[in-house]
C-alpha cells in the first residue's frame, strides 16, 4: 500500500504535483492518464525519491522488518531505503547501465540482489516471449539497442526481482503492436500470480483501460478523478474527457 498526504511539487510557477490525499491499495493495477504536463512522471519520481517534494509525504506500508506475523511498518522513501527491496521501477533510460549487454546487466542485477546466475537465467525465461529474440543473444550493448528493445530491458528489470510494487512510466512507448499486447498479458499475469501493486502511466487509453483495475486522471498535477475500472467501465468517461467522438 502507498499513502500520499499533502504532496506538493512546483517548478517555478508551474504546479507539477498537488495531491492532498491518495491511497494506492495492495493489488491495485493503477493507470495514470493525463495530457502532456499533467504530472504523471513527476508523481512517479516523487514516489521513487528521485525528486524532493516541496511539502507532504509518501509512505509505503511494508511488511515489518522483524518478519513476525502480519505486522507492517510505514516507510517514507525520503527517510529510509527499506522500501527499495519491495519496489521495481522503470522511468527512463537513466535506469539502465547502457555500456553492458542485457545479459551482463541482468547478471549484475542478480548479483547485487543476492540472486545467483542459475536463478537469474531461470527468471529471465519468464520474459522470453516479451523479449521475442531481440534482446538476448544479440551481442549488443544496451546503448546500441533500438528504443523498443531498451524499453523491454527496462520493463524486465523492473519485474526481475519479483517486487510487490511495480512502477512503469509509459511502458507501451516504442513497442511494436505485438509487444504491446504481450506486455499487457505479462503485467496482468504478474499481478495475478504475485498480488503485486502495479502503477503505469500511458498516453494509450485503450491499453490502460484494458489492464487497469483503477484509473487516476491527472490535470495540472492534481488527481481530478479516481475511477474504478471494472470490465473497462472507465472507458466512456475517459473518452468524454479527452474529447474522443
Amino acid at each position: 500500500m502507498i499513502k500520499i498526504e499533502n504532496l506538493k511539487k512546483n517548478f517555478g510557477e508551474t504546479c507539477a504535483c498537488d495531491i492532498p490525499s491518495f491511497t494506492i491499495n495492495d493489488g491495485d493495477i493503477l493507470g495514470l492518464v493525463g495530457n502532456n504536463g499533467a504530472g504523471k512522471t513527476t508523481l512517479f519520481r516523487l514516489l521513487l525519491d528521485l525528486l524532493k517534494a516541496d511539502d507532504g509525504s509518501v509512505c509505503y506500508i511494508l511488511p515489518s522488518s522483524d518478519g513476525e506475523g502480519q505486522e507492517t511498518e510505514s516507510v517514507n522513501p525520503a527517510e529510509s531505503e527499506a522500501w527499495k527491496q519491495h519496489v521495481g521501477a522503470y522511468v527512463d533510460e537513466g535506469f539502465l547501465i547502457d555500456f553492458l549487454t542485457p545479459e551482463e546487466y541482468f547478471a549484475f542485477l542478480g548479483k547485487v540482489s543476492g540472486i545467483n546466475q542459475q536463478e537469474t537465467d531461470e527468471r529471465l525465461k519468464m520474459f522470453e516471449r516479451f523479449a521475442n529474440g531481440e534482446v538476448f543473444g544479440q551481442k549488443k550493448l544496451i546503448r546500441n539497442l533500438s528504443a523498443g528493445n531498451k524499453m523491454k530491458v527496462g520493463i524486465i528489470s523492473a519485474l526481475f526481482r519479483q517486487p510487490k510494487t511495480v512502477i512503469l512510466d509509459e511502458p507501451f512507448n516504442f513497442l511494436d503492436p505485438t509487444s504491446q499486447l504481450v506486455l499487457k498479458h505479462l503485467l496482468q499475469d504478474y499481478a495475478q500470480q504475485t498480488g503485486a501493486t502495479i502503477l503505469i502511466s500511458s498516453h494509450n487509453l485503450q491499453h490502460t483501460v484494458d489492464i487497469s483495475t483503477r484509473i487516476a486522471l491527472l490535470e495540472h498535477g492534481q488527481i481530478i478523478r479516481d475511477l474504478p475500472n471494472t470490465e473497462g467501465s472507465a472507458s466512456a468517461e475517459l473518452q468524454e474527457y479527452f474529447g474522443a467522438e
Side-chain angles (χ1 to χ4, degrees):
M1 180 184 293
I2 304 172
K3 290 188 175 182
I4 297 170
E5 295 292 339
N6 298 314
L7 190 63
K8 295 183 180 181
K9 181 65 180 179
N10 294 323
F11 295 106
E13 298 297 320
T14 301
C15 174
C17 183
D18 183 4
I19 302 176
S21 181
F22 192 69
T23 298
I24 302 164
N25 299 307
D26 290 341
D28 278 350
I29 304 179
L30 177 69
L32 267 63
V33 299
N35 289 316
N36 288 336
K40 304 184 295 296
T41 299
T42 296
L43 177 56
F44 280 172
R45 288 186 174 277
L46 290 166
L47 293 177
L48 296 168
D49 194 35
L50 298 174
L51 279 176
K52 179 177 175 59
D54 296 331
D55 198 6
S57 65
V58 170
C59 283
Y60 290 89
I61 311 301
L62 304 174
S64 177
S65 56
D66 63 19
E68 296 181 3
Q70 299 298 314
E71 294 297 319
T72 59
E73 58 181 334
S74 179
V75 175
N76 184 334
E79 300 173 354
S80 167
E81 296 192 352
W83 59 281
K84 290 185 176 180
Q85 63 182 307
H86 301 277
V87 179
Y90 183 66
V91 173
D92 58 39
E93 291 182 20
F95 279 52
L96 305 176
I97 305 176
D98 68 358
F99 57 81
L100 300 178
T101 66
E103 289 87 348
E104 291 170 339
Y105 178 55
F106 286 104
F108 171 77
L109 289 184
K111 186 173 183 179
V112 299
S113 303
I115 302 170
N116 63 37
Q117 188 61 51
Q118 182 178 356
E119 177 64 17
T120 293
D121 294 341
E122 192 65 30
R123 292 191 183 197
L124 291 178
K125 289 180 181 179
M126 300 165 46
F127 305 104
E128 285 181 349
R129 186 179 175 209
F130 182 51
N132 194 33
E134 300 172 334
V135 173
F136 301 110
Q138 302 303 300
K139 298 182 180 179
K140 286 185 177 181
L141 302 180
I142 291 173
R143 65 183 171 213
N144 294 328
L145 297 175
S146 68
N149 287 331
K150 287 178 185 176
M151 179 64 75
K152 289 181 180 182
V153 172
I155 292 168
I156 294 170
S157 71
L159 299 172
F160 172 74
R161 293 183 298 114
Q162 301 176 355
K164 281 297 187 179
T165 299
V166 179
I167 298 175
L168 300 172
D169 193 20
E170 297 288 353
F172 298 104
N173 274 6
F174 309 117
L175 299 183
D176 59 49
T178 297
S179 297
Q180 291 179 10
L181 293 175
V182 173
L183 176 58
K184 288 198 295 186
H185 290 297
L186 176 64
L187 293 177
Q188 288 174 315
D189 290 346
Y190 183 83
Q192 184 175 22
Q193 293 168 10
T194 66
T197 304
I198 299 178
L199 287 68
I200 67 166
S201 72
S202 180
H203 285 132
N204 190 310
L205 291 182
Q206 189 57 57
H207 288 334
T208 305
V209 168
D210 285 347
I211 69 172
S212 300
T213 60
R214 180 182 176 194
I215 293 176
L217 177 56
L218 277 74
E219 184 177 284
H220 303 304
Q222 299 180 326
I223 297 176
I224 61 172
R225 300 184 195 178
D226 180 7
L227 306 174
N229 188 44
T230 304
E231 297 183 353
S233 59
S235 180
E237 189 166 346
L238 290 173
Q239 289 184 26
E240 180 181 359
Y241 175 82
F242 289 107
E245 296 184 0

